[in-house]
């Protein structure tokens, strides 16, 4: 059997639109998915676990990794540095799993440039008022961070043309249904499964 390379499945959105919630559901349902744990210089939130949600590092460590060319991509987002270590893709390939990324549009663009087969999904809030409400109700941001994230949202949304799929996260279950449909369809694109005719039927 030919072992397929991992599907790189990128989910982006302005802060508060619901990408973390949607990605968690995907990971809970599909055991053959791995979450790409990013490095960040941001401080952990009360609910976050180092190594599960992010690898929390200081500026010096992040800089050391940049200099050592250890990142597949990295970017400044809302005043902090965030990056995906190339080792995440290697680990997914070793485990035979597909890889889910929660990265911003700069990360999506960089990953797509290096891996054109990556699939990119942009999650939109149903309105800017609802985006503000969700960001507030999450209760994780300082007043300054709330303003910064909300102000960045419109510029981030303007980048939607970079993405393969646009998903409005209105009703959570309905939005999740659409997200999993994208994953399932992308997994059987011809170029990913062309080997099956030979592997299964010898043709
Ligand atoms: P992001 O990761 O995009 O910043 P989160 O997944 O943290 O966003 O979601 C922000 C807040 O909105 C969370 O409190 C989450 O529970 C809530 N939320 C997510 N999706 C929905 C939805 N469809 N309807 C209502 N609230 C939602
Ligand atoms: P948060 O601080 O809310 O966890 O994330 C802020 C933003 O950083 C989100 O848009 C999230 O997708 C993005 N982000 C998280 N990890 C990475 C990463 O590794 N690379 C890039 N480019 N963005 C990331």
């Amino acid at each position: 059997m030919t072992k397929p390379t991992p599907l790189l499945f990128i989910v982006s959105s302005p802060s508060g639109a619901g990408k973390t919630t949607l990605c968690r559901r995907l990971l809970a349902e599909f055991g053959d998915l791995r979450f790409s744990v990013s490095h960040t210089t941001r401080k952990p939130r009360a609910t976050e676990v180092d190594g599960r949600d992010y690898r929390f590092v200081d500026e010096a460590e992040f800089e050391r990794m940049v200099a050592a060319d250890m990142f597949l991509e990295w970017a400044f987002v809302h005043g902090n540095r965030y990056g995906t270590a190339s080792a995440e893709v290697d680990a997914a390939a070793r485990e035979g799993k597909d890889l889910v990324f929660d990265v911003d549009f700069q990360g999506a663009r960089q990953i797509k440039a290096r891996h054109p087969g990556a699939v990119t999904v942009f999650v939109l809030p149903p309105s800017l008022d609802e985006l503000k409400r969700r960001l507030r109700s999450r209760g994780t941001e300082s007043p300054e961070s709330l303003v910064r994230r909300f102000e960045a949202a419109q510029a981030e949304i303007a980048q939607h043309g970079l993405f393969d799929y646009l998903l409005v996260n209105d009703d959570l279950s309905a939005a999740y249904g659409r997200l999993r449909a994208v994953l399932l369809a992308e997994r059987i694109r011809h170029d990913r499964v062309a080997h099956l005719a030979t592997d299964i039927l010898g043709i």
Side-chain angles (χ1 to χ4, degrees), residues 63-102:
E63 191 47 46
R64 189 192 67 74
M65 292 181 68
V66 171
D69 199 22
M70 292 171 74
F71 285 116
L72 168 61
E73 63 78 30
W74 71 270
F76 281 102
V77 191
H78 313 315
N80 290 295
R81 296 215 274 183
Y82 294 80
T84 305
S86 305
E88 286 295 327
V89 179
D90 302 337
R94 265 198 315 275
E95 292 171 8
K97 292 185 173 181
D98 290 335
L99 194 56
V100 175
F101 299 81
D102 171 344

Side-chain angles (χ1 to χ4, degrees), residues 30-164:
F30 294 92
D32 53 0
L33 282 179
R34 177 186 163 100
F35 179 62
S36 171
V37 181
S38 295
H39 286 71
T40 183
T41 58
R42 166 168 81 57
K43 297 281 167 280
R45 296 173 183 147
T47 55
E48 288 178 328
V49 177
D50 188 34
R52 183 193 69 183
D53 300 290
Y54 282 105
R55 300 185 208 287
F56 296 97
V57 293
D58 60 17
E59 279 290 342
E61 173 62 7
F62 200 100
E63 191 47 46
R64 189 192 67 74
M65 292 181 68
V66 171
D69 199 22
M70 292 171 74
F71 285 116
L72 168 61
E73 63 78 30
W74 71 270
F76 281 102
V77 191
H78 313 315
N80 290 295
R81 296 215 274 183
Y82 294 80
T84 305
S86 305
E88 286 295 327
V89 179
D90 302 337
R94 265 198 315 275
E95 292 171 8
K97 292 185 173 181
D98 290 335
L99 194 56
V100 175
F101 299 81
D102 171 344
V103 298
D104 83 326
F105 71 90
Q106 304 172 83
R109 187 166 49 201
Q110 292 178 61
I111 296 171
K112 190 89 167 175
R114 291 175 82 158
H115 296 278
V119 176
T120 56
V121 181
F122 195 69
V123 179
L124 289 172
S127 69
L128 290 178
D129 281 348
E130 174 63 8
L131 180 69
K132 198 182 276 179
R133 193 198 67 73
R134 285 184 194 170
L135 249 183
R136 272 216 190 91
S137 74
R138 194 171 66 191
T140 54
E141 305 306 314
S142 66
E144 300 75 43
S145 173
L146 259 180
V147 170
R148 180 171 206 156
R149 283 168 182 255
F150 189 69
E151 284 181 355
Q154 298 198 36
E156 290 169 350
I157 291 169
Q159 300 294 326
H160 66 81
L162 291 170
F163 290 81
D164 299 319

